[in-house]
Amino acid sequence: MTDPQTPSPSEQSDADDVERHACPKCDTQPGSPCRSRSGAVTSAYHTRRFTLVPRLKKALRVPTPADRRPGQPWRPGTPPPAPIDPDLPSADIRIGYARCSALGQELDSQLDALAGHGIPRDRIFSEKISTRIRVRPKFEEALGTAREVKAHAPHCRVIFTVHPSLSCGRSSSPSRRAPEQSPHLGYRAVCDILRQCF
């Protein structure tokens, strides 16, 4: 069953593209959903905003994804990263993710391996959470960051990177879920050196 809080890839893509622009109607800045007069997140983006996206000009309505919490009190989102000069040479941008199942297990070896592969610490997301739990907040946050970076640097490869210990055969592992949820992102598993490319 699909999690109602998880937007479809098309909804996520539309929302990301719309939120690259400020809203002419409610004055919401880039990175945030539209706001109603009562101060709640709107159920759909304002027309004057989503028509700023060329491919959405003929759309009748662009719904606000569930993860933006439509109907709930509005809060500013994360401003998108500054756009990269398209004339600059492209480069790989890596987002790291580390996880272990038990509180008694350590994450340091995974974090050190990812950092040793050139991923800045502020782009490495980690959590201690059971494999039985399907919704993993830091995993979703890492994917969201990867999508934002890709939206604002489309000429660069964004590589979602995890330690090989997470690249198991389970359907819930990041090695399965990351490519499925964000097929436009590169995906790699690394140890101290590059081990496998998906």
Side-chain angles (χ1 to χ4, degrees):
M1 181 180 292
T2 303
D3 185 347
Q5 294 299 313
T6 303
S8 68
S10 61
E11 287 180 336
Q12 187 71 56
S13 176
D14 290 348
D16 290 342
D17 288 347
V18 171
E19 290 182 10
R20 293 175 65 182
H21 304 274
C23 181
K25 181 172 182 177
C26 64
D27 294 326
T28 294
Q29 295 304 300
S32 300
C34 287
R35 178 178 51 203
S36 68
R37 291 181 180 179
S38 63
V41 177
T42 57
S43 61
Y45 292 97
H46 292 129
T47 304
R48 290 171 58 193
R49 187 181 193 186
F50 72 70
T51 52
L52 295 172
V53 180
R55 66 182 179 82
L56 298 175
K57 278 185 178 294
K58 295 183 179 180
L60 299 178
R61 185 176 185 271
V62 176
T64 302
D67 64 346
R68 267 69 164 184
R69 300 171 58 84
Q72 299 297 312
W74 183 90
R75 294 184 180 87
T78 303
I84 298 175
D85 186 342
D87 293 330
L88 292 176
S90 62
D92 290 346
I93 301 172
R94 291 178 172 81
I95 306 295
Y97 174 72
R99 180 192 59 77
C100 64
S101 299
L103 293 177
Q105 294 178 328
E106 57 87 25
L107 282 168
D108 290 345
S109 59
Q110 293 185 46
L111 297 174
D112 290 343
L114 292 168
H117 197 63
I119 304 174
R121 289 283 182 174
D122 63 350
R123 287 187 183 165
I124 299 175
F125 298 80
S126 64
E127 59 191 337
K128 293 188 176 184
I129 191 167
S130 170
T131 55
R132 296 179 181 180
I133 299 176
R134 294 283 299 173
V135 178
R136 300 171 190 170
K138 290 297 181 181
F139 175 74
E140 301 300 336
E141 187 178 347
L143 274 183
T145 298
R147 292 188 193 104
E148 287 181 11
V149 172
K150 184 63 178 178
H152 295 281
H155 58 293
C156 295
R157 282 199 312 170
V158 179
I159 300 175
F160 189 87
T161 310
V162 303
H163 192 272
S165 63
L166 299 185
S167 303
C168 56
R170 297 182 183 183
S171 62
S172 61
S173 72
S175 62
R176 294 289 185 88
R177 294 177 63 200
E180 290 173 358
Q181 294 184 18
S182 296
H184 59 291
L185 301 177
Y187 172 82
R188 286 184 180 175
V190 300
C191 193
D192 293 326
I193 58 173
L194 186 65
R195 280 272 294 274
Q196 190 173 8
C197 183
F198 296 84

